[in-house]
Amino acid sequence: MSGTVLVTGGAGYVGSHTAKALAQAGYQPVTVDNLGRGFAHAVRWGPLERGDILDRAFLDAAIRRWQPQAVLHFAAHSYVGESVTAPGLYYRNNVVGSLTLLEAMRDHAIANIVFSSTCATYGLPVRLPLSEDHPQAPINPYGASKLMVERLLADFGAAHGLRSVALRYFNAAGADPDGEIGENHDPETHLIPLAIGAALGTQPKLKIFGTDYATADGTCIRDYIHVTDLAAAHVAALRHLEAGGASVACNLGTGAGLSVRAILTEVERVAGRSVPAEEGPRRAGDPPELVADAARARQLLGWTPQCSDIASVISTAYQWAARQHNRSTP
Ligand code: UDP
């Protein structure tokens, strides 16, 4: 089955890559985005409805115009640090925005939603790798806001028959292998684009946040998953719902962790130059290790990462960053 689907946050990083994957799978993605943090130029695979998910009248009009059969919901703020200093922003946008969207779906009888969740809903790991039944005890408002939306999905499921897949991403990374879209955060806070920027001279020296963790090389370990693999998982989740599959939450990761130093080594190999870096203190709220148990997504959605080997992740991210850099320098 294919048809029109609403993609909230389709002008953002994971949303735009998913819009491309949806179009390639035969769907018509209609992006709903306020362009607060997304980019109109990233909306290339279907129309853009510019507006806010907090605006119920806007949502009603967009739904009436396009008659979507399902929703993929990415629109959210996603900076952990900012969520600590401005929690109201996160609860309003992420929770109240999602509630507004779910009420609109209920009233327009749209039953299926794929939701962009996060491994930040788990908080500090008590066992690794993290499986979906690990306790969810987020340690920042960003993770808490996403967990609240998971709860909304369950309650709307019980009361109104809403059917959902919540995809809990680990570390989204990389860029479209065709070079059409990539990662553009402002401000940038993520390791890979910052390390590449430091190598290219577009970002300051990289600060390594903590070298005294109880890991093999003393730096934090994360599970980096290519954004194109994340996009494919959303299409698989949509098909799962369309085939009558039950509501579920699934981790999206590779199951393998890499340290900060391992990432820097790979960036240096791909860039062919060193990454200016300095060792610094730990960043508050960073667990030493986060690695997914991704067996459920494999079994239930038939999804396996295709391009999340670290060479593909770093080389696509590097090509995207280098092109942006070349465009902006005369
Ligand atoms: N990190 C770092 N320096 C930076 C940014 C990140 O050492 O300038 C580390 C961070 O402590 C974490 C890993 O890189 O262990 C990935 O961080 P990122 O912000 O990319 O993603 P997060 O894991 O916070 O979602």
PDB file of all heavy atoms in Angstrom, residues 202-214:
ATOM      1  N   THR A 202      36.363  24.639   9.773  1.00  0.00           N
ATOM      2  CA  THR A 202      35.132  25.431   9.884  1.00  0.00           C
ATOM      3  C   THR A 202      34.596  25.452  11.317  1.00  0.00           C
ATOM      4  O   THR A 202      33.653  26.175  11.615  1.00  0.00           O
ATOM      5  CB  THR A 202      34.023  24.850   8.976  1.00  0.00           C
ATOM      6  OG1 THR A 202      33.803  23.482   9.342  1.00  0.00           O
ATOM      7  CG2 THR A 202      34.422  24.911   7.516  1.00  0.00           C
ATOM      8  N   GLN A 203      35.167  24.617  12.161  1.00  0.00           N
ATOM      9  CA  GLN A 203      34.783  24.590  13.578  1.00  0.00           C
ATOM     10  C   GLN A 203      36.053  24.698  14.398  1.00  0.00           C
ATOM     11  O   GLN A 203      37.131  24.328  13.926  1.00  0.00           O
ATOM     12  CB  GLN A 203      34.092  23.261  13.938  1.00  0.00           C
ATOM     13  CG  GLN A 203      32.728  23.045  13.288  1.00  0.00           C
ATOM     14  CD  GLN A 203      31.599  23.784  14.008  1.00  0.00           C
ATOM     15  OE1 GLN A 203      31.809  24.387  15.070  1.00  0.00           O
ATOM     16  NE2 GLN A 203      30.418  23.764  13.415  1.00  0.00           N
ATOM     17  N   PRO A 204      35.924  25.187  15.634  1.00  0.00           N
ATOM     18  CA  PRO A 204      37.123  25.242  16.477  1.00  0.00           C
ATOM     19  C   PRO A 204      37.621  23.836  16.819  1.00  0.00           C
ATOM     20  O   PRO A 204      36.969  22.840  16.518  1.00  0.00           O
ATOM     21  CB  PRO A 204      36.636  25.966  17.732  1.00  0.00           C
ATOM     22  CG  PRO A 204      35.148  25.892  17.709  1.00  0.00           C
ATOM     23  CD  PRO A 204      34.739  25.715  16.278  1.00  0.00           C
ATOM     24  N   LYS A 205      38.750  23.823  17.464  1.00  0.00           N
ATOM     25  CA  LYS A 205      39.346  22.581  17.963  1.00  0.00           C
ATOM     26  C   LYS A 205      38.288  21.744  18.702  1.00  0.00           C
ATOM     27  O   LYS A 205      37.526  22.295  19.500  1.00  0.00           O
ATOM     28  CB  LYS A 205      40.441  23.000  18.956  1.00  0.00           C
ATOM     29  CG  LYS A 205      41.477  21.974  19.229  1.00  0.00           C
ATOM     30  CD  LYS A 205      42.406  22.481  20.307  1.00  0.00           C
ATOM     31  CE  LYS A 205      43.620  23.175  19.725  1.00  0.00           C
ATOM     32  NZ  LYS A 205      44.650  23.425  20.763  1.00  0.00           N
ATOM     33  N   LEU A 206      38.244  20.461  18.427  1.00  0.00           N
ATOM     34  CA  LEU A 206      37.248  19.619  19.095  1.00  0.00           C
ATOM     35  C   LEU A 206      37.621  19.400  20.559  1.00  0.00           C
ATOM     36  O   LEU A 206      38.778  19.122  20.867  1.00  0.00           O
ATOM     37  CB  LEU A 206      37.137  18.253  18.413  1.00  0.00           C
ATOM     38  CG  LEU A 206      36.045  17.407  19.058  1.00  0.00           C
ATOM     39  CD1 LEU A 206      34.724  17.608  18.356  1.00  0.00           C
ATOM     40  CD2 LEU A 206      36.432  15.952  19.122  1.00  0.00           C
ATOM     41  N   LYS A 207      36.619  19.529  21.425  1.00  0.00           N
ATOM     42  CA  LYS A 207      36.839  19.204  22.842  1.00  0.00           C
ATOM     43  C   LYS A 207      36.370  17.785  23.091  1.00  0.00           C
ATOM     44  O   LYS A 207      35.220  17.461  22.803  1.00  0.00           O
ATOM     45  CB  LYS A 207      36.015  20.138  23.730  1.00  0.00           C
ATOM     46  CG  LYS A 207      36.800  21.271  24.281  1.00  0.00           C
ATOM     47  CD  LYS A 207      36.222  21.740  25.632  1.00  0.00           C
ATOM     48  CE  LYS A 207      36.968  22.964  26.101  1.00  0.00           C
ATOM     49  NZ  LYS A 207      36.709  24.154  25.276  1.00  0.00           N
ATOM     50  N   ILE A 208      37.249  16.928  23.576  1.00  0.00           N
ATOM     51  CA  ILE A 208      36.848  15.559  23.943  1.00  0.00           C
ATOM     52  C   ILE A 208      36.285  15.617  25.353  1.00  0.00           C
ATOM     53  O   ILE A 208      37.001  15.973  26.301  1.00  0.00           O
ATOM     54  CB  ILE A 208      38.053  14.598  23.876  1.00  0.00           C
ATOM     55  CG1 ILE A 208      38.627  14.575  22.445  1.00  0.00           C
ATOM     56  CG2 ILE A 208      37.647  13.200  24.316  1.00  0.00           C
ATOM     57  CD1 ILE A 208      39.897  13.744  22.302  1.00  0.00           C
ATOM     58  N   PHE A 209      35.005  15.291  25.478  1.00  0.00           N
ATOM     59  CA  PHE A 209      34.329  15.423  26.770  1.00  0.00           C
ATOM     60  C   PHE A 209      34.598  14.214  27.656  1.00  0.00           C
ATOM     61  O   PHE A 209      33.808  13.269  27.706  1.00  0.00           O
ATOM     62  CB  PHE A 209      32.818  15.594  26.574  1.00  0.00           C
ATOM     63  CG  PHE A 209      32.412  16.878  25.901  1.00  0.00           C
ATOM     64  CD1 PHE A 209      31.296  16.914  25.075  1.00  0.00           C
ATOM     65  CD2 PHE A 209      33.124  18.050  26.082  1.00  0.00           C
ATOM     66  CE1 PHE A 209      30.899  18.094  24.463  1.00  0.00           C
ATOM     67  CE2 PHE A 209      32.737  19.235  25.471  1.00  0.00           C
ATOM     68  CZ  PHE A 209      31.627  19.258  24.655  1.00  0.00           C
ATOM     69  N   GLY A 210      35.700  14.229  28.345  1.00  0.00           N
ATOM     70  CA  GLY A 210      35.995  13.177  29.321  1.00  0.00           C
ATOM     71  C   GLY A 210      36.879  12.089  28.744  1.00  0.00           C
ATOM     72  O   GLY A 210      36.580  11.517  27.697  1.00  0.00           O
ATOM     73  N   THR A 211      38.002  11.853  29.445  1.00  0.00           N
ATOM     74  CA  THR A 211      38.924  10.785  29.010  1.00  0.00           C
ATOM     75  C   THR A 211      39.186   9.807  30.152  1.00  0.00           C
ATOM     76  O   THR A 211      40.107   9.002  30.093  1.00  0.00           O
ATOM     77  CB  THR A 211      40.263  11.395  28.538  1.00  0.00           C
ATOM     78  OG1 THR A 211      40.756  12.240  29.585  1.00  0.00           O
ATOM     79  CG2 THR A 211      40.083  12.206  27.266  1.00  0.00           C
ATOM     80  N   ASP A 212      38.336   9.923  31.196  1.00  0.00           N
ATOM     81  CA  ASP A 212      38.548   9.086  32.385  1.00  0.00           C
ATOM     82  C   ASP A 212      37.378   8.137  32.637  1.00  0.00           C
ATOM     83  O   ASP A 212      37.144   7.699  33.758  1.00  0.00           O
ATOM     84  CB  ASP A 212      38.770   9.985  33.608  1.00  0.00           C
ATOM     85  CG  ASP A 212      37.594  10.914  33.877  1.00  0.00           C
ATOM     86  OD1 ASP A 212      36.716  11.056  32.972  1.00  0.00           O
ATOM     87  OD2 ASP A 212      37.528  11.492  34.972  1.00  0.00           O
ATOM     88  N   TYR A 213      36.630   7.839  31.588  1.00  0.00           N
ATOM     89  CA  TYR A 213      35.535   6.861  31.739  1.00  0.00           C
ATOM     90  C   TYR A 213      36.108   5.449  31.828  1.00  0.00           C
ATOM     91  O   TYR A 213      37.208   5.184  31.323  1.00  0.00           O
ATOM     92  CB  TYR A 213      34.578   6.946  30.540  1.00  0.00           C
ATOM     93  CG  TYR A 213      33.686   8.168  30.553  1.00  0.00           C
ATOM     94  CD1 TYR A 213      34.003   9.289  29.796  1.00  0.00           C
ATOM     95  CD2 TYR A 213      32.532   8.199  31.321  1.00  0.00           C
ATOM     96  CE1 TYR A 213      33.176  10.415  29.791  1.00  0.00           C
ATOM     97  CE2 TYR A 213      31.708   9.314  31.334  1.00  0.00           C
ATOM     98  CZ  TYR A 213      32.035  10.412  30.562  1.00  0.00           C
ATOM     99  OH  TYR A 213      31.220  11.508  30.581  1.00  0.00           O
ATOM    100  N   ALA A 214      35.328   4.548  32.423  1.00  0.00           N
ATOM    101  CA  ALA A 214      35.780   3.156  32.543  1.00  0.00           C
ATOM    102  C   ALA A 214      35.513   2.407  31.234  1.00  0.00           C
ATOM    103  O   ALA A 214      34.764   1.432  31.177  1.00  0.00           O
ATOM    104  CB  ALA A 214      35.061   2.489  33.718  1.00  0.00           C
TER     105      ALA A 214
END
